[in-house]
Amino acid sequence: MNNASTSSAPTTANATEAEAPVSPFPLHSSPFGPSSASGATVRAVNDEFHGDLLEISLGPHHPSTHGVFRMNAALDGEIVTKLKPVFGYLHRNHEKLGETNSYLANVPYTDRLDYLASLTNNWAYVHAVEKLAGITPTERCEYLRVILGELGRIINHVCLVGFLLNDLGTSFTPLLYSLRERERMLDLLEELTGARMMYNFFRFGGLRTDVSADWLARLKHYLEGLFARYLDEQDALLTGNEILLARTQGTGILKPDLAINAGFTGPGLRASGVDYDIRKVDKYSIYDRFDFRVPLGEHGDTYDRFMMRMLEMRESVKIILQAMRDLPDGPVNDPKAKSRGLRPKAGEAYGRIECPKGELGFYLISDGTPNPYRYRVRPPSFINLTILEDLCLGQTLADTIIILGSIDIVLGEVDR
Amino acid sequence: METLEQIRDRIVAKFGADTVTLITNPGPSAQHSLLLVAHAARDIARFLHDDPALRLDYCSNATGVDWPDKEIVETVKTTQPDPAGGPDKVVETKTKRIQPGCLEAVYHLYSIALKSAEPVIIRMRTANRTDDVTLPSLTPVWRSCEFQEREIYDLYGIVFTGHPDLRRILMWDEFKDHPMRKDYVGPDDYEWEPTPHGEVLERAKAHYPTPPASTSPKSEE
Amino acid sequence: MLGLGILKGFYITAKNLVGSYFTTERLTTLEYPEVRAKLPPASRSFPFLVYDGDNPVDGLRCVACRICEKECPPQCIYIVPERDEKGKVMKKPRIFDIDYSVCMGCQICVEACPFDSIKMDNIYEIAVRNRYEPLLMHREQLSKPNTYFHEINPVDAIEVDTRLAEEKRKAEERAKAAAAAKAVAAAKAAAATPAAPADAAQTAKSAPAPAPAPTPAKPTTPETK
């Protein structure tokens, strides 16, 4: 079993070991000594083990850090010997806001967590509130939720494939192809929900409005036509490309037992060969009615994590087409469920769904008032970053960028 | 999966009766939880992690909850016989007592090996909210708690002993308070925002004696 | 064969490059200032207030019930009801401010409004140079005629209009029935007084008043097309 020492670096180049009562590091210091937030970003560190360690600060607004994310890395030549993620630059105290808002007013705020796939955020929150208040959504609503949730997954993975290739240095073609397709899906969603990214579409026990048959037909036409073409093109363009294989295979290998222990979820966990998909395990909503496969990787390297997304997109298309085929008629909203002025009974609930980046959970405590007493987001991106250092140690600096890209973080969710 | 009562009984048999209590959840979700005593919590966690029947190898969510001091008013009704021989009088005596608050850490555990669909929830409580706020860290058992416990320390102020790297994570290192506590008072020295609602404006006015303009114009009718 | 993947990639990119001259599907870019995207009817940016008829003050559907103010997640709506000479609260807003710099366009106010008074606009070119005043929209800037709503979202507008007309008709019928019942009950056929309609929504057309006093237009006010 993996023990939890954070730096399994060959040596700890920490010359400023101070006697702190609580933490091993004094409060006002980075692991490398004085905080480099205001100081120089590049300086050499000398200790008795290494000739010259170079400490650099990647970020916080380097384009390849996917937001405002900083990595304090110590380099021995080109090899990373230590890497500490620093975040909080986008901290908006989402959870504190959640305690001062009513249950309904939190739905638009959840859009701002993972702003690349807001539909699944809405879904996770609504799922948790339904658990908390004991609401059962209607049949038609469940099917539409599956359609929208999988569409959100596709949008997220399309983005990720583009951005990951951008990190690899293939400036720009795959990203533009990806964004072109994402644009089409966002246009469809704008027609339905009124917004391109902040949908605010899910309600407790239903959806905000019903989905028209015409819209569904156009979505189906798109997924079977242009989007299928995009997937095949992207496959032909990337999956057999020798340069991509050379750069991604064998980098950032994640062992399954470490992945489980460190709470790594989502496609990254499955890339390590752990068969764990919450859609299959929890069978939340109506996922047990669909026939889909969970892709599994073998090596747990960056290439596997990239391929997971490519394969999951195809599975998501399958799920959407099945859900459209079986879509029942009936009301989309539960007439008994109240969205405005919802006051659940006192109690607590933890609801989780499989969002594109991993397991997104909401932990809510109600004390019978219109506002949640405690509102907690379990953000997948944040917890997946726990083992960023373990993945990057011994890799080159250029590979850390790809590894970070393959973990698929969104800083809106990491910092909340 | 075993029921929570069975898990509790096994913990009691292994670690003693005073180490665990079952907390029932009155809500419809019926997710009950186990309250562990701090000094034995890490051993119990290790047991939950390694036990072949449970195999709780995945800690999904760790979070803090703040329970401030609560004033509880208890009314006791007593009937006193009237000395004059009339009907009995009902006298209400109200007693106030302060229920001391605490900080709580909640962990949601799942088993990936056994594909459990319902969480096993364990919680730990600190002795009080002011000076005795230490809890044992569960990061040695589940690595996924590392950042989450740092976050709890940052936002709630629970100090986890045995955590490998307990620093603030979302707030900057020089920040003094713990913002997620219920009695946290936000700073009022941010820039004046033209929000039409009074509270923010009033607080901001203290710092900006001449705000740019009033929020609402005089009605022009 | 080594290099086959790269050659495949070259083939794909070349196909896209040449294909973009023949099919518009491979091109998604709009030349923005000259060519504008046609927004779907449901698209939303910021709320505005609907008024019926020609008079933006009297025709305003808003009755200052302040439900939207309570429901607004970021608390960007501010309402002060109008009072008449005696200080009695009238069903009209005197001040109705929405702070567009705080508003997040979530549509909850629209869902909460029981009078179909607040609706979502689809303007998107409202960037200003000053953070403080220009984005705080007052009632005069927020009031837009029902015809404008028909322009941007005909589907919803027609649905709302039919519903409001239906409600009005029902209210009138109810008022008539009440009046008739009263008349019968009082058994004074001559002196029956018609009851006031019980409906709170003041959709009654007032006589077109003289044009309201022109409000000083702010130079930074975004002009909606």
Side-chain angles (χ1 to χ4, degrees):
Chain A
M1 212 56 230
N2 158 280
N3 73 335
S5 74
T6 40
S7 68
S8 40
T11 55
T12 50
N14 190 9
T16 59
E17 197 68 66
E19 292 78 60
V22 175
S23 91
F25 299 108
L27 194 67
H28 298 292
S29 74
S30 73
F32 309 107
S35 169
S36 50
S38 51
T41 48
V42 181
R43 59 192 172 83
V45 182
N46 269 307
D47 66 349
E48 57 272 30
F49 305 112
H50 299 77
D52 275 342
L53 274 188
L54 188 71
E55 187 208 318
I56 63 166
S57 161
L58 276 166
H61 48 213
H62 189 274
S64 59
T65 53
H66 295 252
V68 279
F69 173 73
R70 188 158 72 111
M71 292 183 277
N72 273 329
L75 302 178
D76 182 5
E78 211 188 347
I79 307 296
V80 176
T81 58
K82 184 185 270 193
L83 186 137
K84 292 279 181 228
V86 180
F87 34 78
Y89 296 98
L90 201 63
H91 182 51
R92 296 149 307 186
N93 220 335
H94 183 93
E95 296 177 5
K96 188 89 173 176
L97 280 175
E99 290 174 10
T100 56
N101 279 324
S102 68
Y103 284 91
L104 172 66
N106 277 329
V107 178
Y109 281 108
T110 56
D111 290 327
R112 274 89 183 153
L113 285 169
D114 173 0
Y115 42 76
L116 291 174
S118 305
L119 284 162
T120 39
N121 299 338
N122 283 184
W123 193 2
Y125 174 63
V126 166
H127 179 71
V129 174
E130 279 163 1
K131 267 197 175 179
L132 180 72
I135 303 169
T136 321
T138 57
E139 275 288 294
R140 182 178 170 84
C141 158
E142 291 276 35
Y143 276 90
L144 292 174
R145 279 185 187 183
V146 167
I147 290 171
L148 292 168
E150 294 301 320
L151 192 61
R153 192 182 315 276
I154 290 174
I155 289 174
N156 183 71
H157 288 349
V158 162
C159 274
L160 173 96
V161 168
F163 289 141
L164 181 58
L165 268 291
N166 213 15
D167 289 344
L168 270 165
T170 64
S171 154
F172 219 61
T173 308
L175 176 62
L176 279 184
Y177 292 177
S178 300
L179 287 180
R180 183 183 68 199
E181 301 308 314
R182 171 173 177 258
E183 199 61 31
R184 295 202 173 108
M185 284 182 264
L186 289 189
D187 283 349
L188 277 170
L189 282 170
E190 186 181 15
E191 256 169 77
L192 175 68
T193 65
R196 291 165 44 82
M197 284 164 82
M198 308 296 162
Y199 307 111
N200 182 20
F201 195 64
F202 286 56
R203 293 287 175 268
F204 313 130
L207 300 172
R208 202 182 66 215
T209 55
D210 202 345
V211 178
S212 68
D214 169 54
W215 187 87
L216 288 170
R218 267 181 303 139
L219 176 65
K220 185 172 178 185
H221 173 74
Y222 168 71
L223 288 175
E224 285 174 336
L226 283 178
F227 188 70
R229 188 185 78 183
Y230 158 83
L231 279 178
D232 295 335
E233 275 188 356
Q234 205 75 318
D235 256 345
L237 180 67
L238 302 173
T239 42
N241 192 305
E242 284 83 359
I243 300 173
L244 185 129
L245 296 180
R247 283 294 307 278
T248 55
Q249 286 192 329
T251 59
I253 292 178
L254 176 58
K255 293 275 180 292
D257 58 350
L258 172 63
I260 291 174
N261 194 265
F264 206 93
T265 44
L269 177 70
R270 295 190 283 275
S272 300
V274 181
D275 181 11
Y276 191 74
D277 187 324
I278 297 171
R279 293 174 293 178
K280 291 276 192 194
V281 173
D282 277 15
K283 298 187 176 59
Y284 66 93
S285 189
I286 48 165
Y287 273 111
D288 47 352
R289 303 186 198 177
F290 300 120
D291 169 37
F292 67 101
R293 298 187 309 166
V294 179
L296 286 185
E298 200 177 344
H299 310 94
D301 56 6
T302 307
Y303 182 74
D304 279 8
R305 284 194 284 274
F306 158 74
M307 277 309 289
M308 281 307 107
R309 272 86 184 198
M310 296 295 285
L311 295 169
E312 274 193 10
M313 281 196 265
R314 294 184 186 275
E315 296 300 324
S316 292
V317 172
K318 261 199 239 168
I319 295 175
I320 293 180
L321 294 179
Q322 287 176 49
M324 283 188 192
R325 189 193 61 207
D326 303 341
L327 185 68
D329 288 334
V332 73
N333 271 313
D334 186 359
K336 291 196 296 295
K338 280 206 315 189
S339 277
R340 276 179 50 212
L342 179 80
R343 298 169 78 110
K345 276 207 218 70
E348 60 178 58
Y350 178 67
R352 59 174 192 165
I353 71 163
E354 178 81 26
C355 97
K357 294 182 167 52
E359 174 197 315
L360 176 62
F362 279 81
Y363 174 59
L364 297 163
I365 300 181
S366 162
D367 55 353
T369 52
N371 303 350
Y373 182 81
R374 176 77 178 95
Y375 165 92
R376 151 82 180 169
V377 190
R378 187 264 182 214
S381 313
F382 176 72
I383 292 159
N384 290 354
L385 280 175
T386 310
I387 45 168
L388 179 67
E389 186 179 31
D390 304 47
L391 293 179
C392 295
L393 288 180
Q395 309 279 354
T396 59
L397 180 64
D399 283 346
T400 62
I401 299 288
I402 315 171
I403 292 163
L404 178 70
S406 72
I407 289 178
D408 189 9
I409 58 165
V410 154
L411 265 293
E413 203 173 50
V414 173
D415 292 345
R416 291 185 313 297
Chain B
M1 285 300 281
E2 303 176 13
T3 63
L4 211 58
E5 286 80 7
Q6 286 170 313
I7 298 174
R8 181 198 55 192
D9 294 340
R10 284 173 59 195
I11 293 176
V12 165
K14 202 165 158 50
F15 296 95
D18 57 346
T19 51
V20 61
T21 37
L22 186 75
I23 305 233
T24 50
N25 176 0
S29 69
Q31 292 175 339
H32 310 305
S33 49
L34 296 171
L35 175 65
L36 307 184
V37 171
H39 63 80
R42 194 178 304 171
D43 296 338
I44 297 175
R46 180 70 66 189
F47 160 75
L48 293 174
H49 180 285
D50 295 340
D51 186 81
L54 295 171
R55 299 279 296 279
L56 296 167
D57 49 9
Y58 165 47
C59 173
S60 159
N61 174 40
T63 183
V65 186
D66 182 14
W67 301 100
D69 299 350
K70 221 166 41 177
E71 195 176 70
I72 294 183
V73 180
E74 288 169 333
T75 51
V76 184
K77 286 186 181 176
T78 48
T79 52
Q80 289 177 335
D82 197 11
D88 291 354
K89 273 198 299 192
V90 179
V91 180
E92 285 190 1
T93 47
K94 286 193 178 181
T95 51
K96 280 186 188 175
R97 63 185 179 87
I98 303 277
Q99 189 188 11
C102 63
L103 297 166
E104 188 177 63
V106 186
Y107 296 81
H108 289 76
L109 312 175
Y110 286 90
S111 167
I112 286 185
L114 305 177
K115 299 237 167 83
S116 65
E118 279 300 315
V120 173
I121 308 170
I122 58 175
R123 20 181 98 220
M124 301 185 280
R125 284 178 188 166
T126 61
N128 60 21
R129 296 177 68 243
T130 46
D131 50 357
D132 190 0
V133 287
T134 51
L135 286 179
S137 166
L138 299 190
T139 306
V141 185
W142 293 285
R143 176 76 187 279
S144 58
C145 301
E146 183 190 335
F147 279 2
Q148 302 188 66
E149 281 178 347
R150 272 177 70 183
E151 188 188 329
I152 300 170
Y153 161 71
D154 186 356
L155 302 179
Y156 283 94
I158 302 178
V159 176
F160 288 97
T161 51
H163 190 283
D165 178 14
L166 197 68
R167 289 176 292 132
R168 286 187 177 274
I169 189 165
L170 293 175
M171 311 302 282
W172 54 103
D173 283 348
E174 293 80 17
F175 190 75
K176 285 282 182 285
D177 212 338
H178 301 293
M180 279 299 287
R181 290 195 182 195
K182 290 280 179 188
D183 50 6
Y184 172 74
V185 181
D188 50 2
D189 56 351
Y190 44 79
E191 279 187 64
W192 183 77
E193 280 280 352
T195 175
H197 275 264
E199 190 193 339
V200 177
L201 179 60
E202 287 309 309
R203 293 216 316 245
K205 268 181 183 167
H207 292 269
Y208 296 89
T210 50
S214 69
T215 48
S216 292
K218 293 279 180 292
S219 172
E220 278 146 2
E221 280 107 49
Chain C
M1 180 191 126
L2 194 71
L4 201 64
I6 299 178
L7 288 176
K8 235 188 209 168
F10 280 139
Y11 168 67
I12 297 283
T13 42
K15 202 169 84 177
N16 268 291
L17 171 70
V18 178
S20 66
Y21 286 98
F22 296 101
T23 62
T24 52
E25 277 174 352
R26 295 186 188 271
L27 278 180
T28 50
T29 320
L30 286 174
E31 305 286 331
Y32 162 57
E34 292 85 23
V35 185
R36 277 162 195 275
K38 192 173 179 321
L39 292 175
S43 74
R44 61 177 202 254
S45 61
F46 293 112
F48 71 99
L49 295 173
V50 183
Y51 66 85
D52 291 309
D54 308 329
N55 187 330
V57 178
D58 295 339
L60 209 60
R61 288 181 191 167
C62 176
V63 299
C65 67
R66 306 177 77 176
I67 289 178
C68 56
E69 189 182 32
K70 281 199 276 293
E71 290 290 333
C72 177
Q75 301 281 298
C76 66
I77 305 180
Y78 180 63
I79 300 173
V80 176
E82 183 78 84
R83 291 171 186 276
D84 60 7
E85 297 81 18
K86 299 189 190 98
K88 198 167 152 291
V89 176
M90 289 164 69
K91 296 202 164 170
K92 222 172 16 166
R94 181 164 65 86
I95 296 174
F96 194 111
D97 290 353
I98 297 184
D99 192 343
Y100 277 6
S101 63
V102 177
C103 170
M104 57 180 180
C106 68
Q107 221 176 1
I108 282 182
C109 54
V110 178
E111 288 167 55
C113 182
F115 303 101
D116 291 297
S117 154
I118 191 165
K119 291 291 171 195
M120 292 312 272
D121 209 334
N122 61 6
I123 48 168
Y124 51 90
E125 293 162 319
I126 59 165
V128 290
R129 286 169 181 274
N130 178 357
R131 260 174 63 190
Y132 294 110
E133 277 299 307
L135 282 177
L136 183 61
M137 295 292 166
H138 304 304
R139 191 193 62 199
E140 298 79 23
Q141 295 143 313
L142 290 169
S143 304
K144 288 175 184 173
N146 197 8
T147 49
Y148 173 78
F149 185 42
H150 272 274
E151 244 168 71
I152 60 171
N153 193 345
V155 187
D156 279 11
I158 290 166
E159 188 259 334
V160 166
D161 278 4
T162 47
R163 200 177 60 234
L164 285 181
E166 184 66 17
E167 278 173 13
K168 199 172 160 187
R169 197 176 56 77
K170 275 187 184 160
E172 279 170 4
E173 273 179 16
R174 268 206 307 274
K176 268 188 203 154
K182 214 173 178 177
V184 171
K188 295 176 190 165
T193 49
D199 197 1
Q202 292 198 335
T203 45
K205 278 269 183 69
S206 59
T215 52
K218 293 197 172 62
T220 47
T221 302
E223 287 295 323
T224 51
K225 304 278 182 304

